[in-house]
Amino acid sequence: MGDKLPSIRRIGIMGGTFDPIHIAHLAIAEQVREAFGLDLVLFIPAANPPHKQGRKVVPAYHRLMMTQLAAYSNPCFHVSKQELERTGPSYSLLTVRELQERYGANAELYFITGSDTINELHTWYHIEELLKSCHFVGTTRPGAPVDKEALVKCFGRLAEEKIHFLAVPELEISSTDIRERVRSGKSIKYLVPAAVEAYIIKEGLYQ
Ligand code: ATP
Ligand code: MG
């Protein structure tokens, strides 16, 4: 009596540059939340994306604000500023370590990604250690079929144990495309949440 272990909490990590956040980010997070029984999903904007050095990204406070506006209407979605508060590149391993400390040993972490990201995992900082610390879920993304054989070749049993896949309704949307649409005066209505569209217009982003 009374010594029942606290139940395991499953926490989703939705990392990205979110430049800007769009409805495919929200849709994959919600699909994974439901399929994997996650208690909450943390949207974590990257400060200094290690994979995007060289491209100009809009200031972090704009990306954070848009992420907060987008996540607001889902009670299971939260936004974490942790990568914006650190200096140096936004290595996911450091983020996961911070979350393990914050949520304790009874939390299971699920990194939510699109299939393009899964295909690039071998380039990530200390990826083997990261795979030992959390799960990954690769959702289907148009134009990015996953090469499962290559993953197993690269990571062996770790790939089989820690990388999961989920088929989701595929949306051919990217932040790159949204930025180009804004620049060329095309509509982004319904491709981003209404509040994000209004914010982009008000702040004159991506012109
Ligand atoms: P960019 O064009 O600037 O690279 P993006 O749309 O790819 O932007 P990111 O912030 O790079 O967005 O991606 C964050 C995460 O969301 C990544 O894991 C990526 O694979 C996933 N993702 C983004 N768009 C989609 C989509 N349309 N379908 C599935 N996953 C997606
Ligand atoms: Mg991308």
Side-chain angles (χ1 to χ4, degrees), residues 7-207:
S7 60
I8 289 185
R9 291 182 86 196
R10 293 182 157 204
I11 295 164
I13 304 171
M14 181 69 213
T17 316
F18 303 138
D19 190 25
I21 192 162
H22 53 69
I23 60 161
H25 294 132
L26 299 164
I28 69 169
E30 177 65 2
Q31 292 291 312
V32 174
R33 183 198 66 73
E34 183 178 52
F36 287 79
L38 306 182
D39 298 294
L40 59 111
V41 176
L42 295 170
F43 282 72
I44 310 183
N48 198 352
H51 300 290
K52 290 186 181 170
Q53 307 260 333
R55 180 176 82 70
K56 230 175 157 231
V57 170
V58 309
Y61 66 91
H62 283 315
R63 295 184 290 108
L64 174 65
M65 186 62 86
M66 292 188 282
T67 305
Q68 284 169 333
L69 290 169
Y72 184 73
S73 61
N74 188 324
C76 294
F77 286 0
H78 299 265
V79 180
S80 168
K81 290 190 270 194
Q82 66 191 100
E83 293 196 357
L84 306 178
E85 286 164 350
R86 279 202 313 256
T87 50
S90 298
Y91 291 126
S92 299
L93 184 60
L94 304 181
T95 304
V96 162
R97 287 212 183 114
E98 285 176 2
L99 292 174
Q100 282 171 326
E101 236 165 71
R102 193 192 298 172
Y103 292 102
N106 278 312
E108 272 182 5
L109 303 175
Y110 286 79
F111 212 107
I112 303 167
T113 71
S115 48
D116 58 317
T117 300
I118 291 290
N119 287 334
E120 286 173 2
L121 276 188
H122 63 277
T123 67
W124 282 32
Y125 176 76
H126 290 199
I127 180 62
E128 298 238 334
E129 219 175 316
L130 184 59
L131 279 172
K132 284 177 190 156
S133 314
C134 71
H135 295 264
F136 272 80
V137 184
T139 63
T140 42
R141 180 171 192 176
V146 162
D147 189 348
K148 289 189 189 173
E149 242 176 66
L151 286 172
V152 173
K153 225 181 198 172
C154 194
F155 303 119
R157 268 190 51 197
L158 258 185
E160 283 161 320
E161 286 167 9
K162 292 301 195 62
I163 305 177
H164 315 275
F165 299 95
L166 184 68
V168 297
E170 291 189 30
L171 297 165
E172 202 170 345
I173 300 174
S174 67
S175 301
T176 302
D177 180 58
I178 304 282
R179 293 191 299 272
E180 280 169 13
R181 281 172 187 272
V182 175
R183 203 168 301 126
S184 55
K186 288 188 186 155
S187 172
I188 56 166
K189 215 176 259 304
Y190 313 120
L191 301 177
V192 300
V196 172
E197 184 203 9
Y199 187 89
I200 289 171
I201 293 168
K202 189 170 175 206
E203 297 294 328
L205 302 180
Y206 310 118
Q207 296 293 342

